[in-house]
Amino acid sequence: MIKVLFFAAIREQLDCEELELKLNAEANTICDIKASLSEKGADWQKVFTDPTLLVAVNQTMVDDAQSLKSNDTVAFFPPVTGG
C-alpha cells in the first residue's frame, strides 16, 4: 500500500485529502498511479492530465517515471506561486 496526499486546490477540486492505494507489478510508477486516478471521473482526469501537476515521493520531488514501493507517501500539488 502507498499513501496518496492531495494539497491546495487539488484537494478542494477532488474533495479528497488522502487515500491509500495498493501497488502491483503492473502499476508501480507515478505515471501508472496518475492513469489509475484519472479513471475516477472527470474532475480526477482534469487534475491528473495537467502537465503542471507537481508530485513528490517521501518529500522528494520526482517525475512520472519514478518507481514506487510499499509504504511510500506520494503527494500531488499544484505549481507553487509567490511574489
Side-chain angles (χ1 to χ4, degrees):
M1 298 291 280
I2 61 169
K3 182 185 280 190
V4 182
L5 305 174
F6 307 103
F7 290 96
I10 294 170
R11 176 175 49 211
E12 294 170 15
Q13 185 174 356
L14 300 178
D15 193 27
C16 182
E17 187 172 323
E18 69 179 71
L19 53 84
E20 289 193 355
L21 294 177
K22 186 179 238 182
L23 285 178
N24 62 52
E26 295 82 37
N28 63 0
T29 67
I30 294 297
C31 186
D32 297 331
I33 298 303
K34 287 169 70 173
S36 176
L37 291 173
S38 290
E39 296 175 2
K40 291 176 70 72
D43 286 341
W44 293 76
Q45 184 176 23
K46 184 176 179 182
V47 167
F48 292 104
T49 57
D50 182 346
T52 65
L53 181 67
L54 299 175
V55 61
V57 174
N58 302 325
Q59 300 181 353
T60 300
M61 299 299 295
V62 298
D63 63 22
D64 285 358
Q66 177 69 41
S67 294
L68 299 167
K69 61 187 181 312
S70 187
N71 297 318
D72 278 346
T73 299
V74 178
F76 290 104
F77 48 98
V80 178
T81 60

Coordinates of all heavy atoms in Angstrom, one line a residue:
M1 N 0.8 -1.2 0.0 CA 0.0 0.0 0.0 C 0.9 1.2 0.0 O 2.0 1.3 0.6 CB -0.9 0.0 1.2 CG -1.9 -1.1 1.4 SD -3.2 -1.1 0.2 CE -4.3 0.1 0.9
I2 N 0.4 2.3 -0.6 CA 1.0 3.6 -0.6 C 0.0 4.6 -0.1 O -1.2 4.4 -0.3 CB 1.6 4.0 -1.9 CG1 0.5 4.1 -3.0 CG2 2.7 3.1 -2.4 CD1 0.9 4.8 -4.3
K3 N 0.4 5.7 0.5 CA -0.5 6.7 0.9 C -0.3 7.8 -0.2 O 0.8 8.2 -0.6 CB -0.1 7.3 2.3 CG -1.0 8.4 2.7 CD -0.5 9.0 4.0 CE -0.9 8.1 5.2 NZ -0.7 8.8 6.5
V4 N -1.5 8.4 -0.6 CA -1.5 9.4 -1.6 C -2.2 10.6 -1.0 O -3.3 10.6 -0.4 CB -2.3 9.0 -2.9 CG1 -2.3 10.1 -3.9 CG2 -1.7 7.7 -3.4
L5 N -1.5 11.8 -1.0 CA -1.9 13.0 -0.4 C -2.2 14.1 -1.5 O -1.5 14.1 -2.5 CB -0.9 13.6 0.6 CG -0.4 12.6 1.7 CD1 0.7 13.3 2.4 CD2 -1.5 12.3 2.6
F6 N -3.2 14.9 -1.3 CA -3.6 15.9 -2.2 C -3.6 17.3 -1.5 O -4.1 17.4 -0.3 CB -5.0 15.7 -2.8 CG -5.2 14.3 -3.4 CD1 -5.8 13.3 -2.7 CD2 -4.6 14.0 -4.6 CE1 -6.0 12.0 -3.2 CE2 -4.7 12.7 -5.1 CZ -5.4 11.8 -4.4
F7 N -3.0 18.3 -2.1 CA -2.8 19.6 -1.4 C -3.5 20.7 -2.2 O -3.6 20.6 -3.4 CB -1.3 19.9 -1.2 CG -0.7 19.0 -0.2 CD1 0.0 17.8 -0.6 CD2 -0.8 19.2 1.2 CE1 0.6 17.0 0.3 CE2 -0.2 18.4 2.1 CZ 0.5 17.3 1.7
A8 N -3.8 21.8 -1.5 CA -4.2 23.1 -2.0 C -5.5 22.9 -2.9 O -6.4 22.2 -2.5 CB -3.1 23.8 -2.7
A9 N -5.4 23.5 -4.1 CA -6.6 23.5 -5.0 C -6.9 22.1 -5.4 O -8.1 21.8 -5.7 CB -6.3 24.4 -6.2
I10 N -6.0 21.2 -5.5 CA -6.2 19.8 -5.9 C -7.1 19.2 -4.9 O -8.1 18.5 -5.3 CB -4.9 19.1 -6.2 CG1 -4.2 19.7 -7.4 CG2 -5.2 17.6 -6.4 CD1 -2.8 19.2 -7.5
R11 N -6.8 19.3 -3.6 CA -7.6 18.7 -2.6 C -9.0 19.3 -2.6 O -10.0 18.5 -2.5 CB -7.0 19.0 -1.2 CG -7.8 18.5 -0.1 CD -7.2 18.7 1.3 NE -6.7 20.1 1.5 CZ -5.7 20.4 2.2 NH1 -5.0 19.4 2.9 NH2 -5.3 21.6 2.4
E12 N -9.2 20.5 -2.9 CA -10.5 21.1 -3.0 C -11.3 20.6 -4.2 O -12.5 20.3 -4.1 CB -10.4 22.7 -3.0 CG -9.9 23.2 -1.7 CD -9.5 24.7 -1.8 OE1 -10.0 25.4 -2.7 OE2 -8.9 25.2 -0.9
Q13 N -10.6 20.6 -5.4 CA -11.2 20.1 -6.6 C -11.7 18.7 -6.5 O -12.8 18.3 -7.0 CB -10.3 20.3 -7.8 CG -10.9 20.0 -9.1 CD -10.0 20.3 -10.3 OE1 -8.9 20.8 -10.1 NE2 -10.4 20.0 -11.5
L14 N -10.9 17.8 -5.9 CA -11.2 16.4 -5.8 C -12.1 16.1 -4.6 O -12.6 15.0 -4.4 CB -10.0 15.6 -5.8 CG -9.0 15.7 -7.0 CD1 -7.8 14.9 -6.8 CD2 -9.8 15.3 -8.2
D15 N -12.2 17.0 -3.6 CA -12.9 16.8 -2.4 C -12.3 15.6 -1.7 O -13.0 14.7 -1.2 CB -14.4 16.7 -2.6 CG -15.1 16.8 -1.2 OD1 -14.6 17.4 -0.3 OD2 -16.2 16.2 -1.1
C16 N -11.0 15.5 -1.7 CA -10.3 14.4 -1.1 C -8.9 14.8 -0.6 O -8.2 15.5 -1.3 CB -10.1 13.3 -2.2 SG -9.3 11.8 -1.5
E17 N -8.7 14.5 0.7 CA -7.4 14.9 1.3 C -6.3 13.8 1.1 O -5.2 14.1 0.9 CB -7.6 15.2 2.8 CG -6.4 15.7 3.5 CD -6.7 16.2 4.9 OE1 -7.8 16.7 5.2 OE2 -5.9 16.0 5.8
E18 N -6.7 12.5 1.3 CA -5.8 11.5 1.1 C -6.5 10.2 0.9 O -7.7 10.0 1.1 CB -4.9 11.3 2.3 CG -5.5 10.8 3.6 CD -4.6 10.7 4.7 OE1 -4.1 11.7 5.3 OE2 -4.3 9.5 5.1
L19 N -5.8 9.2 0.3 CA -6.3 7.8 0.1 C -5.1 6.9 0.1 O -4.0 7.3 0.0 CB -7.1 7.7 -1.1 CG -6.6 8.2 -2.5 CD1 -5.7 7.1 -3.1 CD2 -7.7 8.6 -3.4
E20 N -5.4 5.6 0.2 CA -4.4 4.6 0.2 C -4.7 3.7 -1.1 O -5.8 3.4 -1.4 CB -4.4 3.7 1.4 CG -3.9 4.4 2.6 CD -3.6 3.5 3.8 OE1 -3.9 2.3 3.7 OE2 -3.1 4.0 4.8
L21 N -3.6 3.4 -1.8 CA -3.7 2.6 -3.0 C -2.8 1.3 -2.8 O -1.7 1.4 -2.2 CB -3.2 3.4 -4.2 CG -4.0 4.5 -4.6 CD1 -3.4 5.2 -5.8 CD2 -5.5 4.1 -5.0
K22 N -3.3 0.3 -3.4 CA -2.5 -1.0 -3.5 C -1.6 -1.0 -4.7 O -2.0 -0.6 -5.8 CB -3.4 -2.2 -3.5 CG -2.8 -3.5 -3.4 CD -3.8 -4.6 -3.4 CE -3.7 -5.4 -2.2 NZ -4.6 -6.5 -2.2
L23 N -0.3 -1.3 -4.5 CA 0.6 -1.4 -5.6 C 0.5 -2.8 -6.2 O 0.3 -3.8 -5.5 CB 2.0 -1.1 -5.1 CG 2.4 0.3 -4.8 CD1 3.9 0.4 -4.3 CD2 2.3 1.2 -6.1
N24 N 0.8 -2.9 -7.5 CA 1.0 -4.2 -8.1 C 2.1 -4.1 -9.1 O 2.6 -3.0 -9.4 CB -0.3 -4.7 -8.7 CG -0.8 -3.9 -9.8 OD1 -0.1 -3.6 -10.7 ND2 -2.1 -3.5 -9.7
A25 N 2.5 -5.3 -9.6 CA 3.7 -5.3 -10.5 C 3.5 -4.5 -11.8 O 4.4 -4.0 -12.4 CB 4.0 -6.8 -10.9
E26 N 2.2 -4.4 -12.2 CA 1.9 -3.7 -13.5 C 1.7 -2.2 -13.2 O 1.8 -1.4 -14.2 CB 0.7 -4.2 -14.1 CG 0.8 -5.6 -14.6 CD 0.6 -6.7 -13.5 OE1 -0.3 -6.4 -12.7 OE2 1.3 -7.7 -13.5
A27 N 1.4 -1.7 -12.0 CA 1.2 -0.3 -11.8 C 2.0 0.1 -10.6 O 1.5 0.1 -9.4 CB -0.3 -0.1 -11.5
N28 N 3.2 0.5 -10.9 CA 4.1 0.8 -9.7 C 4.9 2.1 -10.0 O 6.0 2.3 -9.4 CB 5.0 -0.3 -9.4 CG 5.9 -0.7 -10.5 OD1 5.9 -0.1 -11.6 ND2 6.7 -1.7 -10.3
T29 N 4.5 3.0 -10.9 CA 5.2 4.2 -11.2 C 4.2 5.4 -10.9 O 3.0 5.2 -10.9 CB 5.7 4.3 -12.6 OG1 4.6 4.4 -13.5 CG2 6.7 3.2 -12.9
I30 N 4.7 6.6 -10.9 CA 3.8 7.8 -10.7 C 2.9 7.8 -12.0 O 1.7 8.1 -11.8 CB 4.7 9.0 -10.6 CG1 5.4 9.0 -9.3 CG2 3.8 10.3 -10.7 CD1 4.6 9.0 -8.1
C31 N 3.4 7.6 -13.1 CA 2.6 7.6 -14.4 C 1.4 6.6 -14.2 O 0.3 6.9 -14.6 CB 3.5 7.2 -15.6 SG 2.6 7.4 -17.1
D32 N 1.7 5.4 -13.7 CA 0.6 4.4 -13.5 C -0.4 4.9 -12.5 O -1.6 4.7 -12.7 CB 1.2 3.1 -13.0 CG 2.2 2.4 -14.0 OD1 2.0 2.7 -15.2 OD2 3.1 1.7 -13.5
I33 N 0.0 5.5 -11.4 CA -0.9 6.0 -10.4 C -1.8 7.1 -11.0 O -3.0 7.2 -10.8 CB -0.1 6.5 -9.2 CG1 0.7 5.3 -8.5 CG2 -1.0 7.2 -8.2 CD1 -0.2 4.1 -8.1
K34 N -1.1 8.0 -11.7 CA -1.9 9.1 -12.3 C -3.0 8.6 -13.3 O -4.1 9.0 -13.3 CB -1.0 10.1 -13.1 CG -0.2 10.9 -12.1 CD 0.9 11.7 -12.8 CE 0.5 12.8 -13.6 NZ 1.6 13.7 -14.2
A35 N -2.6 7.6 -14.1 CA -3.6 7.0 -15.0 C -4.7 6.3 -14.3 O -5.9 6.5 -14.7 CB -2.8 6.0 -15.9
S36 N -4.4 5.6 -13.2 CA -5.4 4.9 -12.4 C -6.4 6.0 -11.8 O -7.6 5.8 -11.8 CB -4.8 4.1 -11.4 OG -5.7 3.5 -10.5
L37 N -5.8 7.0 -11.2 CA -6.6 8.0 -10.6 C -7.5 8.8 -11.6 O -8.6 9.2 -11.2 CB -5.8 9.0 -9.7 CG -5.1 8.4 -8.5 CD1 -4.1 9.3 -7.9 CD2 -6.1 7.9 -7.5
S38 N -7.0 9.0 -12.8 CA -7.7 9.7 -13.8 C -9.0 9.0 -14.2 O -10.0 9.6 -14.7 CB -6.9 9.8 -15.1 OG -5.8 10.7 -14.9
E39 N -9.1 7.7 -13.9 CA -10.3 6.9 -14.2 C -11.4 7.1 -13.2 O -12.5 6.6 -13.4 CB -9.9 5.4 -14.3 CG -9.0 5.1 -15.4 CD -8.5 3.7 -15.5 OE1 -9.0 2.9 -14.6 OE2 -7.7 3.3 -16.3
K40 N -11.2 7.9 -12.1 CA -12.2 8.1 -11.1 C -13.3 9.1 -11.5 O -14.2 9.2 -10.7 CB -11.5 8.4 -9.8 CG -10.7 7.3 -9.2 CD -10.0 7.8 -7.9 CE -10.8 8.0 -6.7 NZ -11.4 6.8 -6.1
G41 N -13.1 9.8 -12.6 CA -14.1 10.7 -13.0 C -13.5 11.9 -13.7 O -12.3 12.1 -13.8
A42 N -14.4 12.8 -14.2 CA -13.9 14.0 -15.0 C -13.0 14.9 -14.2 O -12.0 15.4 -14.7 CB -15.1 14.7 -15.5
D43 N -13.4 15.2 -12.9 CA -12.5 16.1 -12.1 C -11.1 15.5 -11.9 O -10.1 16.2 -12.0 CB -13.1 16.4 -10.8 CG -14.3 17.4 -10.9 OD1 -14.4 18.1 -11.9 OD2 -15.1 17.4 -10.0
W44 N -11.1 14.2 -11.6 CA -9.8 13.5 -11.4 C -9.0 13.5 -12.7 O -7.8 13.7 -12.7 CB -10.1 12.1 -10.9 CG -10.7 12.0 -9.6 CD1 -12.0 12.3 -9.3 CD2 -10.1 11.7 -8.4 NE1 -12.2 12.2 -7.9 CE2 -11.0 11.8 -7.3 CE3 -8.8 11.3 -8.0 CZ2 -10.7 11.6 -6.0 CZ3 -8.5 11.1 -6.7 CH2 -9.4 11.2 -5.7
Q45 N -9.7 13.2 -13.8 CA -8.9 13.2 -15.1 C -8.3 14.6 -15.4 O -7.2 14.7 -15.8 CB -9.9 12.8 -16.2 CG -9.1 12.7 -17.6 CD -10.0 12.2 -18.7 OE1 -11.3 12.3 -18.6 NE2 -9.4 11.7 -19.7
K46 N -9.1 15.7 -15.1 CA -8.6 17.0 -15.3 C -7.3 17.3 -14.5 O -6.3 17.8 -15.0 CB -9.7 18.0 -15.0 CG -9.3 19.4 -15.3 CD -10.4 20.4 -15.0 CE -10.0 21.8 -15.3 NZ -11.1 22.8 -15.0
V47 N -7.3 16.9 -13.3 CA -6.2 17.1 -12.4 C -5.0 16.3 -12.9 O -3.9 16.8 -13.0 CB -6.5 16.7 -10.9 CG1 -5.3 16.6 -10.1 CG2 -7.5 17.7 -10.3
F48 N -5.2 15.0 -13.2 CA -4.0 14.1 -13.4 C -3.5 14.1 -14.8 O -2.5 13.5 -15.2 CB -4.3 12.7 -12.9 CG -4.4 12.7 -11.4 CD1 -5.6 12.6 -10.8 CD2 -3.3 12.9 -10.6 CE1 -5.7 12.7 -9.4 CE2 -3.3 12.9 -9.3 CZ -4.6 12.8 -8.6
T49 N -4.2 14.9 -15.7 CA -3.6 15.1 -17.1 C -3.0 16.5 -17.2 O -2.5 16.8 -18.3 CB -4.7 14.9 -18.1 OG1 -5.8 15.7 -17.9 CG2 -5.2 13.4 -18.2
D50 N -3.1 17.3 -16.2 CA -2.5 18.6 -16.2 C -0.9 18.5 -16.2 O -0.4 18.0 -15.2 CB -3.0 19.4 -15.0 CG -2.4 20.8 -14.9 OD1 -1.5 21.2 -15.6 OD2 -3.0 21.6 -14.1
P51 N -0.3 19.0 -17.2 CA 1.2 18.9 -17.2 C 1.9 19.7 -16.2 O 3.1 19.5 -16.0 CB 1.5 19.4 -18.7 CG 0.4 20.3 -19.1 CD -0.8 19.7 -18.4
T52 N 1.2 20.7 -15.5 CA 1.9 21.5 -14.5 C 1.8 20.8 -13.1 O 2.4 21.3 -12.1 CB 1.3 22.9 -14.4 OG1 -0.1 22.8 -14.0 CG2 1.4 23.6 -15.8
L53 N 1.1 19.7 -13.0 CA 0.9 19.0 -11.7 C 2.3 18.6 -11.1 O 3.1 18.1 -11.9 CB 0.1 17.7 -11.9 CG -0.2 16.9 -10.7 CD1 -1.1 17.7 -9.7 CD2 -0.9 15.6 -11.1
L54 N 2.5 18.9 -9.9 CA 3.8 18.5 -9.2 C 3.6 17.3 -8.3 O 2.5 17.1 -7.8 CB 4.3 19.7 -8.4 CG 4.6 21.0 -9.1 CD1 5.0 22.1 -8.2 CD2 5.7 20.7 -10.2
V55 N 4.6 16.5 -8.2 CA 4.5 15.3 -7.4 C 5.8 15.1 -6.6 O 6.9 15.3 -7.1 CB 4.1 14.1 -8.3 CG1 5.2 13.8 -9.3 CG2 3.9 12.8 -7.4
A56 N 5.6 14.6 -5.4 CA 6.8 14.2 -4.5 C 6.5 12.9 -4.0 O 5.4 12.5 -3.7 CB 6.9 15.3 -3.4
V57 N 7.6 12.1 -3.8 CA 7.5 10.8 -3.1 C 8.4 10.9 -1.9 O 9.6 11.3 -2.0 CB 8.0 9.7 -4.0 CG1 8.0 8.4 -3.3 CG2 7.0 9.6 -5.2
N58 N 7.8 10.7 -0.7 CA 8.6 10.8 0.5 C 9.3 12.1 0.6 O 10.5 12.2 1.0 CB 9.5 9.6 0.7 CG 8.8 8.3 0.6 OD1 7.7 8.1 1.1 ND2 9.4 7.3 0.0
Q59 N 8.6 13.2 0.3 CA 9.0 14.6 0.4 C 10.2 14.9 -0.6 O 10.9 15.9 -0.3 CB 9.4 14.9 1.8 CG 8.2 14.7 2.8 CD 8.5 15.1 4.2 OE1 9.6 15.3 4.6 NE2 7.5 15.1 5.0
T60 N 10.4 14.2 -1.6 CA 11.4 14.5 -2.6 C 10.7 14.6 -4.0 O 9.9 13.7 -4.4 CB 12.4 13.4 -2.7 OG1 13.1 13.2 -1.5 CG2 13.5 13.7 -3.8
M61 N 10.9 15.7 -4.7 CA 10.3 15.9 -6.0 C 10.7 14.9 -7.0 O 11.9 14.5 -7.0 CB 10.6 17.3 -6.5 CG 10.1 18.5 -5.7 SD 8.4 18.5 -5.5 CE 7.9 18.9 -7.1
V62 N 9.8 14.3 -7.7 CA 10.1 13.3 -8.7 C 9.3 13.5 -10.0 O 8.5 14.4 -10.1 CB 9.7 11.9 -8.1 CG1 10.5 11.6 -6.9 CG2 8.2 11.8 -7.9
D63 N 9.6 12.7 -11.0 CA 8.9 12.8 -12.3 C 8.0 11.6 -12.4 O 8.0 10.7 -11.5 CB 9.8 13.0 -13.5 CG 10.8 11.8 -13.7 OD1 10.5 10.7 -13.2 OD2 11.8 12.0 -14.3
D64 N 7.3 11.5 -13.5 CA 6.3 10.4 -13.7 C 6.9 9.0 -13.8 O 6.2 8.0 -13.7 CB 5.5 10.7 -15.0 CG 4.4 11.8 -14.7 OD1 4.3 12.3 -13.6 OD2 3.7 12.1 -15.7
A65 N 8.2 8.9 -14.1 CA 8.9 7.6 -14.3 C 9.3 7.0 -12.9 O 9.7 5.9 -12.9 CB 10.1 7.8 -15.2
Q66 N 9.1 7.8 -11.8 CA 9.6 7.3 -10.5 C 8.8 6.0 -10.1 O 7.6 6.0 -10.1 CB 9.3 8.4 -9.5 CG 9.6 8.0 -8.1 CD 11.1 7.8 -7.8 OE1 11.9 8.6 -8.3 NE2 11.5 6.8 -7.1
S67 N 9.6 5.0 -9.8 CA 9.0 3.8 -9.3 C 8.6 3.9 -7.8 O 9.2 4.7 -7.1 CB 10.0 2.6 -9.4 OG 10.3 2.3 -10.7
L68 N 7.6 3.2 -7.4 CA 7.1 3.3 -6.1 C 7.3 1.9 -5.4 O 7.3 0.9 -6.0 CB 5.6 3.6 -6.1 CG 5.3 5.0 -6.7 CD1 3.8 5.1 -6.9 CD2 5.8 6.1 -5.8
K69 N 7.4 2.0 -4.0 CA 7.4 0.8 -3.3 C 6.5 0.9 -2.1 O 6.0 1.9 -1.8 CB 8.9 0.5 -2.8 CG 9.5 1.6 -1.9 CD 10.9 1.3 -1.6 CE 11.6 2.3 -0.7 NZ 11.4 3.7 -1.1
S70 N 6.2 -0.2 -1.5 CA 5.2 -0.3 -0.4 C 5.6 0.7 0.7 O 6.8 0.9 1.0 CB 5.2 -1.7 0.2 OG 4.2 -1.8 1.1
N71 N 4.6 1.4 1.3 CA 4.8 2.3 2.3 C 5.3 3.7 1.9 O 5.5 4.6 2.7 CB 5.6 1.8 3.5 CG 5.0 0.6 4.1 OD1 3.8 0.6 4.4 ND2 5.8 -0.4 4.4
D72 N 5.4 3.9 0.6 CA 5.8 5.3 0.1 C 4.6 6.2 0.3 O 3.5 5.8 0.4 CB 6.1 5.3 -1.4 CG 7.5 4.8 -1.7 OD1 8.4 4.8 -0.8 OD2 7.8 4.5 -2.9
T73 N 4.9 7.5 0.4 CA 3.9 8.5 0.5 C 4.1 9.4 -0.7 O 5.2 10.0 -1.0 CB 4.1 9.4 1.8 OG1 3.9 8.6 2.9 CG2 3.0 10.5 1.8
V74 N 3.0 9.5 -1.5 CA 3.0 10.3 -2.7 C 2.1 11.5 -2.5 O 1.0 11.4 -2.0 CB 2.4 9.5 -3.9 CG1 2.4 10.3 -5.2 CG2 3.2 8.2 -4.1
A75 N 2.7 12.7 -2.8 CA 1.9 13.9 -2.7 C 1.8 14.6 -4.0 O 2.8 14.8 -4.7 CB 2.7 14.9 -1.7
F76 N 0.6 15.0 -4.3 CA 0.3 15.8 -5.5 C -0.1 17.2 -5.1 O -0.9 17.4 -4.2 CB -0.9 15.2 -6.3 CG -0.5 13.8 -6.9 CD1 -0.9 12.7 -6.4 CD2 0.2 13.8 -8.1 CE1 -0.6 11.4 -7.0 CE2 0.6 12.6 -8.7 CZ 0.1 11.4 -8.1
F77 N 0.4 18.2 -5.9 CA 0.1 19.6 -5.6 C 0.3 20.4 -6.8 O 1.0 20.1 -7.7 CB 0.9 20.1 -4.4 CG 2.3 19.9 -4.4 CD1 3.2 20.8 -4.9 CD2 2.9 18.6 -4.0 CE1 4.6 20.6 -4.9 CE2 4.2 18.4 -4.0 CZ 5.1 19.4 -4.5
P78 N -0.4 21.6 -6.8 CA -0.3 22.5 -8.0 C 1.0 23.2 -7.9 O 1.7 23.2 -6.9 CB -1.5 23.4 -7.8 CG -1.8 23.4 -6.3 CD -1.4 22.1 -5.8
P79 N 1.4 23.9 -9.0 CA 2.6 24.7 -9.0 C 2.6 25.7 -7.9 O 1.5 26.3 -7.7 CB 2.6 25.3 -10.4 CG 1.7 24.6 -11.2 CD 0.7 23.9 -10.3
V80 N 3.7 25.9 -7.3 CA 3.8 26.9 -6.2 C 4.0 28.3 -6.9 O 4.8 28.5 -7.7 CB 4.9 26.6 -5.3 CG1 5.1 27.6 -4.2 CG2 4.7 25.2 -4.7
T81 N 3.2 29.3 -6.4 CA 3.4 30.6 -6.9 C 3.7 31.5 -5.7 O 3.4 31.2 -4.6 CB 2.1 31.1 -7.6 OG1 1.0 31.1 -6.7 CG2 1.7 30.3 -8.8
G82 N 4.2 32.6 -6.0 CA 4.6 33.5 -4.9 C 5.0 34.9 -5.5 O 5.0 35.1 -6.7
G83 N 5.3 35.7 -4.6 CA 5.7 37.0 -5.1 C 6.2 37.9 -4.0 O 6.2 37.6 -2.9

